[in-house]
């Protein structure tokens, strides 16, 4: 068997950027043939990407791109499995490239974005290669492209875990930054009550009625109590009704702030990384016990 030297491993790693141990295994399997080892790695990395695709990717970052004139922009969420990879420079570059492509090319959906040219291939080939290289699932989850009615402003918070793209009509740069920051902090669901999903309102009403019944409130008062609860809910989740986080008096709403500054909000997008994705909770002790039981069963079957 050909001797696998450190310099051979280093050369293959530089060619493929694969993990060092994977390079050594590939060279051993290829009996030192560099070209064959490279092919083996390509196959293995592709398989790794396929296996990784079955794992939950609930970490990641939000990327934002805004044109120089502030009239065109995009916000995108790209997920991965761990916060460690979310800080990887190549992963971050993929996210920013996706945001720029959304702004420039206006793809119809994630599939169309994935097919766009990037580097020496496509967005999808770059993503798949990065999955293979790192060994962790990554996925482009969602994006929005905005042609502003006014001027676009953005705010990124918590290591790009929360991202806001705001269309502000009138006002100035400071107001744009302040409102974008407020959105990240207060997390409104809509601009005003008309944008709140009816199922959310219905759920609040049902809960209010059941709680009032549990408190032995008269049946005749239930609807009135529910109305009050819904109104309170709408004030909490709609941007214009929320109290501005920097309000000196602790009372000024965003709507009042905008009116005082002669401005309005054309729209906004708030992305929170992993929101709505069911994360897998692993019981390590149970997993080890399961593996031991499987190993014991396999050993017993051989006897």
């Amino acid at each position: 068997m050909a001797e696998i030297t450190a310099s051979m491993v280093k050369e293959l790693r530089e060619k493929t950027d694969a993990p060092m141990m994977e390079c050594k295994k590939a060279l051993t399997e290829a009996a030192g043939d560099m070209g064959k080892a490279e092919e083996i790695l390509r196959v293995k990395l592709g398989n790794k990407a396929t296996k990784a695709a079955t794992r939950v990717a609930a970490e990641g970052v939000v990327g934002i791109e805004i044109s120089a004139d502030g009239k065109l922009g995009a916000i995108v969420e790209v997920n991965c499995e761990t916060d460690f990879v979310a800080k990887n420079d190549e992963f971050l570059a993929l996210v920013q490239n996706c945001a720029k492509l959304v702004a420039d090319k206006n793809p119809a959906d994630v599939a169309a974005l994935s097919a766009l040219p990037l580097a020496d291939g496509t967005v999808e080939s770059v993503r798949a290669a990065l999955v293979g290289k790192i060994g962790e699932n990554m996925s482009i989850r969602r994006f929005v492209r905005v042609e502003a009615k006014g001027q676009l402003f953005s705010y990124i918070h918590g290591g790009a875990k929360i991202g806001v793209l705001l269309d502000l009509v009138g006002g100035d740069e400071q107001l744009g930054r302040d409102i974008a920051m407020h959105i990240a902090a207060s997390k409104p669901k809509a601009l005003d009550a008309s944008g709140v999903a009816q199922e959310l309102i219905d759920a609040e009403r049902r809960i209010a009625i059941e709680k009032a019944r549990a408190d032995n409130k008269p049946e005749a008062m239930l609807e009135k109590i529910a109305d009050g609860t819904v109104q309170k809910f709408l004030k909490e989740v709609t941007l214009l009704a929320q109290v501005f986080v920097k309000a000196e008096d602790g009372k000024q709403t965003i709507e009042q702030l905008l009116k005082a500054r002669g401005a309005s909000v054309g729209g906004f997008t708030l992305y929170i990384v992993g929101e709505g994705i069911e994360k897998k909770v692993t019981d390590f002790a149970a997993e080890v016990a399961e593996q031991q039981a499987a190993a014991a069963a396999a050993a017993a079957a051989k006897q």
Side-chain angles (χ1 to χ4, degrees):
M1 180 180 291
E3 181 186 0
I4 308 302
T5 65
S7 61
M8 291 169 67
V9 174
K10 182 173 180 290
E11 181 183 349
L12 184 58
R13 177 172 168 75
E14 288 174 351
K15 278 185 175 182
T16 63
D17 213 12
M20 196 163 292
M21 287 306 298
E22 292 291 339
C23 291
K24 186 173 181 180
K25 289 177 184 176
L27 282 164
T28 301
E29 187 177 337
D33 185 319
M34 190 66 66
K36 187 176 179 181
E38 191 172 347
E39 289 181 12
I40 290 169
L41 276 179
R42 286 180 177 176
V43 171
K44 284 186 176 180
L45 292 181
N47 287 341
K48 189 185 294 184
T50 300
K51 291 174 184 175
T54 65
R55 300 197 295 265
V56 175
E59 294 294 336
V61 296
V62 175
I64 295 176
E65 178 77 15
I66 298 177
S67 63
D69 63 3
K71 293 293 184 181
L72 179 66
I75 181 169
V76 60
E77 178 187 348
V78 182
N79 299 122
C80 56
E81 292 179 53
T82 64
D83 188 55
F84 178 77
V85 170
K87 297 173 183 176
N88 176 279
D89 288 341
E90 288 178 276
F91 177 75
L92 293 173
L94 172 64
V95 176
Q96 205 53 48
N97 281 327
C98 285
K100 187 170 185 348
L101 284 168
V102 170
D104 292 346
K105 303 298 183 182
N106 193 22
D109 50 28
V110 170
L113 170 59
S114 299
L116 289 175
L118 180 63
D120 295 327
T122 63
V123 170
E124 173 56 24
S125 68
V126 171
R127 184 203 67 83
L130 195 54
V131 170
K133 175 182 173 182
I134 296 177
E136 186 169 307
N137 190 19
M138 302 169 196
S139 60
I140 302 168
R141 184 185 184 195
R142 52 183 175 169
F143 63 80
V144 170
R145 183 178 184 270
V146 178
E147 294 183 20
K149 299 173 184 176
Q151 194 86 2
L152 290 176
F153 296 93
S154 66
Y155 184 78
I156 293 286
H157 180 73
K161 300 300 183 187
I162 299 174
V164 176
L165 187 60
L166 168 72
D167 179 6
L168 181 69
V169 182
D172 55 24
E173 187 174 345
Q174 184 62 53
L175 182 64
R177 286 201 303 266
D178 282 349
I179 293 180
M181 180 195 68
H182 169 95
I183 292 168
S186 298
K187 301 176 181 59
K189 297 183 180 298
L191 179 61
D192 55 32
S194 67
V196 179
Q198 188 60 46
E199 56 262 32
L200 292 179
I201 296 173
D202 292 343
E204 288 298 315
R205 180 174 291 278
R206 285 195 303 272
I207 292 168
I209 289 174
E210 291 306 315
K211 286 175 72 174
R213 280 200 179 117
D215 291 337
N216 297 315
K217 299 294 182 183
E219 284 290 323
M221 291 182 62
L222 296 185
E223 287 299 329
K224 187 175 181 180
I225 292 171
D227 287 342
T229 300
V230 167
Q231 289 308 309
K232 182 182 177 183
F233 168 72
L234 291 174
K235 285 181 179 179
E236 292 172 349
V237 302
T238 56
L239 176 61
L240 295 182
Q242 288 178 339
V243 174
F244 179 39
V245 291
K246 292 174 68 175
E248 293 181 2
D249 62 359
K251 297 179 180 179
Q252 185 185 40
T253 66
I254 293 293
E255 186 171 27
Q256 290 167 342
L257 172 66
L258 289 166
K259 186 175 180 180
R261 303 291 292 275
S264 63
V265 171
F268 72 89
T269 300
L270 166 66
Y271 278 174
I272 301 171
V273 168
E275 185 178 33
I277 298 175
E278 185 176 347
K279 298 184 181 182
K280 181 180 179 181
V281 178
T282 301
D283 183 335
F284 183 70
E287 187 175 319
V288 170
E290 185 180 335
Q291 290 174 352
Q292 290 176 334
K302 291 180 180 179
Q303 292 177 353

